[in-house]
Amino acid sequence: MGIYFDIVRFSFLRFFSYPYEILASVLKRVIEILFLILFWSLIVKESGGQINISQIISYFFISMGIGDLVMSRWGAFGGEIGTQIKNGHISNYLIKPVGIIPTLYSISFGRNGLRVLLALINLTIGLIVYPPKGIISIILFIFFFISAWWIAFAYNLFQGTLFFHLTDASGVRNALNNIVRVFSGEMVPLYLFPLALGQFIRFTPFPSMIYGPTVALSINSFNQEVMINLGISIFWAIFLNIFVYIFWKKSIKNYEAIGI
Amino acid sequence: MKLSEFKESLTERLTLLKAGIVFTAQRELAYAGNNWASVLSTTFFTFSVLIFIKVIYSNVHTIAGYSYNEMLVYFFIYQLTYYGNYIVTVRNLTDLIPDVNKGNLDMVLIKPVPSLFYLMSRSISIVSIITDAIPPTLAIMFSINWNAIEFSFSGIIIGFIVWIFGLIALNAFQILAALPVFWFGESQNILDLASNIAAGAGTMIPREGYPPTLRVLLGTIIPAIIAGGFTTSILLNKVNPFLLLAWAGAVAIISMFVKNIAWNYALRHYSSASS
C-alpha cells in the first residue's frame, strides 16, 4: 500500500515545480465559482422565490467538490489510463511488480492533487453555507459518497479501457463526459428537471455520481424514496464494477505494447 | 513597405496557412473512429446545453431580459465563437507551450518565416472543426424559432464585424496568457484560466447579465464577451450597434499591438533551453 502513497506523493509534488501554475489553477476555480454565482443569482432573481440562493450555491460548491473527489468530473483517471495506453507507456507498469489499476489511479490522483485540495475547500464552504440537517444526513452522505466513488471508478476505468479498442478514444471520452455533466446533476440539480425526465434519470447510474451524495446532506429521514435511491446507487456501483473489470481483463489482452 | 514586399509577405503567409491546414487535416483524419467520436462529443455537448437551457427556462421566463428563444440565439453565437477561437487560437497555443518548455521552439525560430504567424497557423483544424461543428450547430439552428426574432440587415453586418473583432481580441488575450511559458517554463494552466474566463466558465450569461463594471472589464482588458455577448446584443437589437462596433474595433486594434509587443519581448527572453 505504501508504494501507492509514494506514487500519489511523487505525482503531486511534480506540480509544485511551477508555482504560477498552482495560482492559475486556484484562480480558475475561483472564477468558475464567481461565474456560477452570478449566473444562478440571475436565475434566482427571475424565479420569484422558487429557488433559494444559498441552497443552490451550496449545492454547486458541494457537487463540484464531490465531482472532483471521486473524479467523475472530466474523468481524470480515465484520461490517464487512455494517455498511457495511447503512448505505449502502460508497458512500463505492466513489467513492474505493482497492481496496474491502483498504480494508474494513484498517478492520476496525485496529478490532480490540487483539484482534490480545492474540492475539499469547496465541500467545506458548501457545508458552511448550507449545513447538513443532522446525523442522518451525514450517515446518508457517507453511504452515497462511497457508492459514488465506486461508480465513478468504474466509469473512469471504462473510459480508459476504450483506448485498447479505439486508437484514440478522446472523442468518445468527451461525449461520455458531456452526458455525465447533464445527467449527474453537475450542471443543474435534478430537482429542477421536468418531472418525467427527472424520474427517468433517477434510475440511471449518473445521478449517483454527484447528485446523490450532494442532496443526501439535506435529507433528515430514512424514508422509502431515499432508500430506493440508495439501493439504485449501490446496485450500479456493484454491477458496473463487475462489468467494467471483466471488460478491462478482456481488453488488456489486446494490448500490443507498441504505442502510437 | 513596398507593394512587391507586401505581396511577397502575403504569399508567404498564405503558403504557411495552406500547409498548416493540409497537415492538420491529414493528422486528424488518420483516426477515422475518433473523428466520428469527436462529432458525437460536440453533438452531445450541444444537446447537454440545450437540455440545460430547457430545464432552466422551465423554472424562469427570462434571464437578464433574454427569452428562451433569445438565449438559444446567444448559445448559437457562443458556439460559433468557440469554434472560431478553437480553430485559430487554442490548438496552436496548446502546441506552443510544450515547444517552449522543451526547447523545440529553436526549430521554428531558425526558419525564415514570420514566427508568430507560423506558430498560429500550423494547427488550423478546419476540416475536423467543420465536421465536428456542423451537426451540433444545425441542432441549435433548428431549435431556434427564427420567425420570432426581428433581425436587421445592418445588425447582421455589424454583428459579424464585431464578432471578428472579438475573435481578434480574444486571440491576443490568449496569446498573452500563454507567454509566461517563456519565463516560467509552463503556462498551460494560465492559458486554461484565460480560456475559462473567455468561455464564461461554461455558464450562459449574456452581456446584459453582467454588472456594469464587470461588463466593461470583460469587454476591454479581458475581452471575453465581445465575440459572444456584444454580437448577440447587436443581432437582437438590444443596444446601439455603432457604439459596440467602435468599442470592439478599438479593443481589437489595441490588443493586436499589445500582442505583437509582448511576443517580441517574450522572444528576447527565450533561452533555448528545455525546462
Side-chain angles (χ1 to χ4, degrees):
Chain A
M1 197 68 184
I3 186 150
Y4 300 118
F5 282 115
D6 283 344
I7 294 171
V8 171
R9 191 173 56 85
F10 181 70
S11 304
F12 183 54
L13 288 176
R14 277 173 42 151
F15 194 72
F16 285 89
S17 312
Y18 303 110
Y20 289 97
E21 289 287 279
I22 299 174
L23 185 67
S25 287
V26 175
L27 277 175
K28 198 164 80 178
R29 175 57 58 90
V30 171
I31 296 285
E32 195 177 351
I33 289 168
L34 287 178
F35 273 109
L36 207 61
I37 291 175
L38 182 60
F39 180 69
W40 281 94
S41 62
L42 288 172
I43 293 168
V44 167
K45 206 188 290 176
E46 302 283 348
S47 76
Q50 269 187 323
I51 304 168
N52 178 309
I53 186 78
S54 63
Q55 192 179 358
I56 199 85
I57 297 300
S58 149
Y59 175 88
F60 282 108
F61 268 106
I62 295 171
S63 66
M64 281 165 92
I66 291 169
D68 278 338
L69 281 177
V70 302
M71 293 200 223
S72 58
R73 282 183 91 208
W74 308 116
F77 173 43
E80 184 62 41
I81 300 173
T83 309
Q84 300 278 358
I85 295 169
K86 191 179 161 189
N87 297 333
H89 295 161
I90 201 170
S91 314
N92 260 335
Y93 306 105
L94 287 170
I95 57 169
K96 286 175 185 161
V98 288
I100 180 83
I101 295 174
T103 302
L104 293 176
Y105 189 87
S106 306
I107 293 172
S108 50
F109 194 81
R111 287 191 180 161
N112 284 281
L114 189 71
R115 286 184 79 155
V116 172
L117 287 180
L118 292 172
L120 291 172
I121 296 170
N122 261 25
L123 209 56
T124 311
I125 296 174
L127 291 175
I128 291 168
V129 175
Y130 205 78
K133 294 281 182 190
I135 189 75
I136 293 176
S137 312
I138 295 167
I139 294 168
L140 280 172
F141 173 77
I142 293 167
F143 278 112
F144 272 105
F145 183 83
I146 293 169
S147 185
W149 187 89
W150 278 107
I151 293 174
F153 179 81
Y155 165 67
N156 275 275
L157 191 57
F158 175 72
Q159 276 191 4
T161 310
L162 286 175
F163 281 76
F164 284 120
H165 301 277
L166 306 166
T167 318
D168 185 350
S170 52
V172 181
R173 271 195 71 226
N174 288 338
L176 287 171
N177 285 332
N178 286 324
I179 297 173
V180 169
R181 248 160 48 94
V182 183
F183 296 132
S184 65
E186 185 190 324
M187 282 175 90
V188 192
L190 256 58
Y191 59 79
L192 292 179
F193 273 67
L195 197 63
L197 184 60
Q199 279 300 320
F200 170 73
I201 296 167
R202 183 184 167 203
F203 290 97
T204 67
F206 307 116
S208 301
M209 284 196 262
I210 290 180
Y211 182 75
T214 307
V215 295
L217 288 163
S218 57
I219 298 169
N220 54 4
S221 66
F222 288 108
N223 58 41
Q224 193 188 11
E225 199 189 339
V226 173
M227 297 321 286
I228 290 172
N229 287 343
L230 187 60
I232 293 170
S233 187
I234 292 170
F235 164 76
W236 282 118
I238 296 168
F239 173 77
L240 287 178
N241 274 283
I242 293 171
F243 168 75
V244 174
Y245 188 70
I246 294 168
F247 182 47
W248 164 268
K249 278 287 190 195
K250 282 188 183 296
S251 304
I252 205 163
K253 289 176 187 159
N254 292 339
Y255 180 58
E256 290 176 7
I258 294 172
I260 45 173
Chain B
M1 187 187 274
K2 289 178 189 169
L3 186 64
S4 60
E5 285 175 354
F6 175 72
K7 271 187 185 169
E8 199 179 316
S9 163
L10 193 67
T11 312
E12 185 183 43
R13 281 171 162 76
L14 286 175
T15 310
L16 286 172
L17 198 62
K18 187 182 155 201
I21 291 169
V22 171
F23 175 71
T24 310
Q26 285 170 339
R27 194 173 60 181
E28 288 179 339
L29 294 174
Y31 303 126
N34 197 53
N35 289 326
W36 284 109
S38 291
V39 177
L40 207 66
S41 164
T42 51
T43 307
F44 273 123
F45 171 77
T46 303
F47 279 114
S48 73
V49 179
L50 287 174
I51 294 170
F52 172 69
I53 296 172
K54 191 84 187 164
V55 170
I56 294 295
Y57 276 91
S58 66
N59 294 278
V60 296
H61 294 297
T62 58
I63 297 172
Y66 279 58
S67 64
Y68 172 67
N69 207 36
E70 288 174 330
M71 189 56 93
L72 290 178
V73 174
Y74 176 53
F75 179 43
F76 177 62
I77 303 295
Y78 182 91
Q79 279 297 91
L80 293 181
T81 304
Y82 168 78
Y83 291 124
N85 180 242
Y86 188 83
I87 288 173
V88 182
T89 309
V90 178
R91 281 286 299 271
N92 284 303
L93 288 178
T94 306
D95 289 347
L96 167 73
I97 291 168
D99 276 354
V100 178
N101 182 290
K102 292 173 181 163
N104 295 341
L105 194 67
D106 301 4
M107 295 306 293
V108 174
L109 296 177
I110 57 171
K111 288 175 184 167
V113 291
S115 57
L116 183 57
F117 185 83
Y118 172 71
L119 289 164
M120 295 308 289
S121 62
R122 62 182 174 161
S123 285
I124 294 193
S125 37
I126 285 188
V127 176
S128 73
I129 209 76
I130 287 173
T131 52
D132 290 0
I134 286 177
T137 309
L138 283 175
I140 306 171
M141 286 177 76
F142 287 129
S143 305
I144 299 170
N145 178 8
W146 295 98
N147 293 327
I149 296 162
E150 284 182 26
F151 293 110
S152 67
F153 181 71
S154 63
I156 293 172
I157 298 293
I158 295 172
F160 179 71
I161 298 169
V162 167
W163 185 70
I164 297 291
F165 282 150
L167 285 183
I168 291 170
L170 202 53
N171 169 271
F173 174 64
Q174 286 171 309
I175 288 177
L176 291 178
L179 291 185
V181 70
F182 284 90
W183 286 270
F184 309 129
E186 184 54 86
S187 63
Q188 187 57 53
N189 275 311
I190 303 173
L191 176 63
D192 286 349
L193 170 67
S195 302
N196 204 29
I197 296 171
T203 57
M204 298 286 298
I205 306 174
R207 175 184 162 275
E208 289 72 9
Y210 291 101
T213 320
L214 201 54
R215 205 182 295 170
V216 172
L217 182 72
L218 294 174
T220 50
I221 300 168
I222 304 171
I225 62 168
I226 297 177
F230 283 27
T231 305
T232 314
S233 287
I234 292 167
L235 286 176
L236 298 175
N237 301 311
K238 288 184 180 285
V239 70
N240 177 357
F242 295 103
L243 173 74
L244 290 194
L245 177 66
W247 180 329
V251 173
I253 291 166
I254 294 168
S255 60
M256 276 198 323
F257 276 114
V258 173
K259 173 193 77 178
N260 286 331
I261 292 167
W263 173 254
N264 290 326
Y265 184 67
L267 276 187
R268 284 201 291 274
H269 283 80
Y270 179 57
S271 61
S272 187
S274 60
S275 49

